[in-house]
Amino acid sequence: MRKKRISGKESRKWFFGRGIRLLFFVFFCSGCLWVVESSAKTEETAPGRKLANQTVKRADPWITADHSRHAILQQEFSSGPEVTGACLSCHNDAALQFHKTIHWTWLDPATEKTDRFGKGGLSVNNFCINIQSNEPRCTSCHAGYGWKDKTFDFTDQTKVDCLVCHEQTGTYKKFPAGSGRPVSEPKVFPGNGKTYLPPEWNKVAQSVARPTRRNCGTCHFFGGGGDGVKHGDLDSSLMKPNKALDVHMGIDGRNFNCTRCHSTREHRISGRVYQTPAAMHRKSLIEDDLASKITCESCHSRKPHKANEKANDHTDRVACQSCHIPSFARVNPTKVWWDWSKAGKKKNGKPYEENGDLGKPVYMTKKGEMQWNKNIKPEYEWYNGSLGQLTVKDTIDPASPVKVNWPIGAPDDPDSRIFPFKVHRGKQPYDKVNKNLVIPHLFGSKETNAYWKTYDWGKAISYAMDYAGVPYSGEYGFVETSFVYPTTHMVAPKDNVVGCGECHNKTESRLAGIAGVYMPGRDQFGVLNTVGWIAVFASIIGVALHGLGRIFIPKNNRKEE
């Protein structure tokens, strides 16, 4: 038999006919296989989800005592310290444990005897700046009774307020300017016009149980003098959120209380950060079943995503929060700017305030000019869990914006991750001669030159700095500052995470300011890009040649009968 020869014209005709249809068929089949494989992966549960379900599968801890039946709580109480005394008759180490915690001292325990970092010491912020000389107002959220000035006895066990964290009636209220005490008779607070009533001491004492979200939120959702003022990821919307706002706390989801993640041992509640990180080790509960649950890794592991997913390659450089919290203040607005230099203006000789479009004050005679925002994209920094802090003793450079606190971390630090932050900016007073930030005496009487009574910055600063024992030159100015808060609440569902293109983007990357890491799509590296594109084109040419060979060789070898 003779072999049939195929002319070049016939070959081209065959290729542009059946050949192209065959190539389309191959690509179609490949696409189908990819879809099937992707569907199979979608149905597979990620290891991080499996581990989390295992570690938190028991939602309701059991209890062994009904406090309403304890005989010692049946007596008539007339004050908080009396209730605390009754608590200590059984829980005889509780106050001593609590005295060692940051909730009691308001100081970083690692620096208490040196730099006194913390709002109970000489650290400053750019909200109400510092509590020194302002204690009666600031300590309304302290878990104690009577911290009205620097003579407060931190060793007195009966000064511990057990009820603010443990009572469950929801009726227990501290007076906003009462040094942490409730009122003994009905009293109106001029700041909000509300009337505060004395607690029903027996009722609240007999209701005590493990702390709930409401107990924690009473202070932490309203820090800085109002709902959502400070953190941005903590506000009243988290009292009863849906899982679209927070997958962990959503009442239609896991419905976790704060203590579910903020592990507590001997009254030390994990989470608050100064120079001491919230957690020293990134361990899962499989590695150590007594590990704190404060880190994402503790429940989800270091490789939380499905096998071979690219996201698992990010966990050594990018914090989980950076992808899973696309924005904060998603329901209620948070304050983003506070300019104290504009305070003191009056209308018709009287203090006034104006509200903005979000229903929040944009000007107050007492506090100056403010700005609020909602649904805010975080700012990102390298962060190893520690924050640097300025105190009123530190020298600043007023020629440029001053960082009042800042994340500690670096690309070459194995404990550092790219982490999201809320950054609050503003202007606050400083000493023009000594070049340090200063404390103003805001809350008090005219006799003590409190700013909210006299609107005299010079006298208010002089009083507070003398009270704190820090030199003051007598000359003040205002400097622009920034203050950061780590963003770790309001974790979004997996279908609302930050998309790859939001970071791997040359012009509008979320991580535009992050140095020390090469990020494809954001960064250009000539040699690497050239080699990469050569490899891509070479692969395409190789696949095409291989396909053409598979098409033509069998035809040329076919025999004619």
Side-chain angles (χ1 to χ4, degrees), residues 344 346 441-442 444-461:
K346 298 179 181 179
H441 177 42
L442 299 173
S445 64
K446 277 189 177 181
E447 290 70 27
T448 59
N449 293 312
Y451 181 74
W452 289 342
K453 294 292 186 182
T454 65
Y455 297 106
D456 186 322
W457 279 115
K459 292 180 179 179
I461 294 169

Side-chain angles (χ1 to χ4, degrees), residues 181-200:
R181 298 188 187 95
V183 295
S184 56
E185 57 185 29
K187 188 175 182 180
V188 176
F189 178 58
N192 57 21
K194 294 181 179 179
T195 300
Y196 288 77
L197 303 175
E200 297 181 67

Side-chain angles (χ1 to χ4, degrees), residues 85-370:
C87 298
L88 295 177
S89 66
C90 290
H91 303 278
N92 50 21
D93 278 340
L96 296 175
Q97 292 171 356
F98 194 68
H99 281 177
K100 298 176 183 178
T101 71
I102 199 170
H103 272 87
W104 179 250
T105 64
W106 285 5
L107 294 170
D108 183 346
T111 59
E112 181 176 345
K113 295 180 181 179
T114 54
D115 300 312
R116 296 187 69 203
F117 288 121
K119 60 186 176 184
L122 296 178
S123 290
V124 288
N125 59 42
N126 59 2
F127 288 88
C128 286
I129 302 176
N130 187 278
I131 77 166
Q132 303 290 330
S133 78
N134 301 303
E135 291 93 343
R137 181 70 179 94
C138 298
T139 60
S140 60
C141 271
H142 184 241
Y145 298 116
W147 186 356
K148 65 178 181 178
D149 55 35
K150 55 188 176 183
T151 65
F152 180 66
D153 185 359
F154 285 92
T155 67
D156 188 339
Q157 295 184 52
T158 65
K159 297 291 187 184
V160 173
D161 183 355
C162 305
L163 295 172
V164 72
C165 294
H166 292 282
E167 75 86 26
Q168 299 306 315
T169 66
T171 63
Y172 182 75
K173 308 288 183 183
K174 289 172 175 271
F175 190 67
S179 307
R181 298 188 187 95
V183 295
S184 56
E185 57 185 29
K187 188 175 182 180
V188 176
F189 178 58
N192 57 21
K194 294 181 179 179
T195 300
Y196 288 77
L197 303 175
E200 297 181 67
W201 291 109
N202 289 80
K203 187 175 181 180
V204 296
Q206 293 171 20
S207 75
V208 297
R210 289 183 177 89
T212 64
R213 190 182 304 160
R214 181 186 52 76
N215 291 111
C216 303
T218 296
C219 285
H220 291 283
F221 295 167
F222 298 90
D227 189 6
V229 168
K230 280 189 174 181
H231 298 271
D233 65 336
L234 283 173
D235 60 40
S236 63
S237 67
L238 291 179
M239 285 290 192
K240 293 183 179 180
N242 56 28
K243 62 183 179 182
L245 179 59
D246 192 293
V247 294
H248 299 114
M249 300 174 72
I251 58 175
D252 54 343
R254 287 292 187 177
N255 198 22
F256 286 169
N257 280 329
C258 304
T259 53
R260 196 68 170 165
C261 295
H262 291 269
S263 302
T264 304
R265 184 176 298 175
E266 295 180 343
H267 284 90
R268 291 193 299 270
I269 303 171
S270 61
R272 185 63 178 94
V273 175
Y274 287 111
Q275 287 198 328
T276 303
M280 301 300 293
H281 304 287
R282 297 176 181 273
K283 288 184 177 180
S284 76
L285 293 170
I286 296 299
E287 298 172 81
D288 179 0
D289 63 351
L290 296 179
S292 167
K293 294 193 289 293
I294 196 61
T295 66
C296 301
E297 291 95 331
S298 62
C299 289
H300 294 284
S301 82
R302 293 182 181 87
K303 300 291 182 184
H305 307 96
K306 298 169 190 174
N308 301 319
E309 281 201 2
K310 189 62 181 174
N312 280 329
D313 297 334
H314 287 61
T315 58
D316 63 333
R317 308 288 275 172
V318 182
C320 302
Q321 292 91 331
S322 292
C323 294
H324 289 272
I325 306 177
S327 63
F328 57 86
R330 298 206 291 272
V331 176
N332 297 333
T334 188
K335 191 177 288 187
V336 295
W337 172 262
W338 188 336
D339 185 351
W340 280 103
S341 72
K342 302 287 182 66
K345 298 177 184 177
K346 298 179 181 179
K347 282 186 176 181
N348 301 319
K350 296 181 179 180
Y352 74 100
E353 63 179 78
E354 294 178 353
N355 286 343
D357 294 339
L358 295 174
K360 296 289 187 177
V362 294
Y363 184 80
M364 297 177 69
T365 300
K366 291 171 60 174
K367 298 182 177 182
E369 183 180 274
M370 291 158 278

